[in-house]
Amino acid sequence: EKEAIIIDEIADLPNIIDEISDLPVLKLKDMLKERGQSAHGTKSELLMKLALRQLTEDDISAGKFLLSDMTVPELRELKTSLGVKGTAKNKSSLVELLESCLVKA
């Protein structure tokens, strides 16, 4: 069952990317900067960052996972994958940094 959820989420990536793929690179960079993410990379990398971000926001909103349940290495990998800027000294500050970028207001 857990594998099916992961496969479903991965299947959503092309749909999300397709929705934003026609946007110019400058717009994609602006969207990433507004969300506190790194705006460096190729258009493909920018699209992937935005798509991952959307999936993560949706999962958090749906209660599929809690950042506080993740390990520090997992949190760091998520931060890097999403291109979130900022530093964190410990797990709680890392969770806070990611939540400030991911949790929809």
Side-chain angles (χ1 to χ4, degrees), residues 22-44:
D22 291 335
L23 295 174
V25 171
L26 289 176
K27 178 63 177 170
L28 296 173
K29 287 183 176 190
D30 286 344
M31 291 170 69
L32 286 163
K33 287 177 186 175
E34 288 172 6
R35 292 165 173 80
Q37 291 180 264
S38 167
H40 298 288
T42 65
K43 184 171 184 175
S44 299

Side-chain angles (χ1 to χ4, degrees), residues 19-64:
E19 290 176 17
I20 58 176
S21 64
D22 291 335
L23 295 174
V25 171
L26 289 176
K27 178 63 177 170
L28 296 173
K29 287 183 176 190
D30 286 344
M31 291 170 69
L32 286 163
K33 287 177 186 175
E34 288 172 6
R35 292 165 173 80
Q37 291 180 264
S38 167
H40 298 288
T42 65
K43 184 171 184 175
S44 299
E45 291 168 337
L46 302 177
L47 290 168
M48 185 59 75
K49 286 179 190 179
L50 285 166
L52 284 171
R53 169 76 178 251
Q54 185 61 49
L55 283 177
T56 306
E57 285 177 348
D58 292 347
D59 286 348
I60 290 171
S61 295
K64 289 185 181 177

Side-chain angles (χ1 to χ4, degrees), residues 3-102:
E3 289 178 16
I5 292 170
I6 293 169
I7 291 169
D8 288 344
E9 290 172 357
I10 293 170
D12 288 342
L13 274 176
N15 295 332
I16 295 169
I17 291 171
D18 189 50
E19 290 176 17
I20 58 176
S21 64
D22 291 335
L23 295 174
V25 171
L26 289 176
K27 178 63 177 170
L28 296 173
K29 287 183 176 190
D30 286 344
M31 291 170 69
L32 286 163
K33 287 177 186 175
E34 288 172 6
R35 292 165 173 80
Q37 291 180 264
S38 167
H40 298 288
T42 65
K43 184 171 184 175
S44 299
E45 291 168 337
L46 302 177
L47 290 168
M48 185 59 75
K49 286 179 190 179
L50 285 166
L52 284 171
R53 169 76 178 251
Q54 185 61 49
L55 283 177
T56 306
E57 285 177 348
D58 292 347
D59 286 348
I60 290 171
S61 295
K64 289 185 181 177
F65 70 86
L66 298 173
L67 293 174
S68 59
D69 290 344
M70 298 174 73
T71 65
V72 171
E74 290 170 336
L75 292 166
R76 286 185 182 141
E77 181 62 32
L78 178 61
K79 179 183 176 290
T80 301
S81 298
L82 294 173
V84 174
K85 295 179 182 179
T87 57
K89 295 179 182 178
N90 53 41
K91 182 177 178 176
S92 62
S93 61
L94 187 54
V95 167
E96 188 176 308
L97 175 67
L98 287 166
E99 284 179 344
S100 71
C101 294
L102 294 172

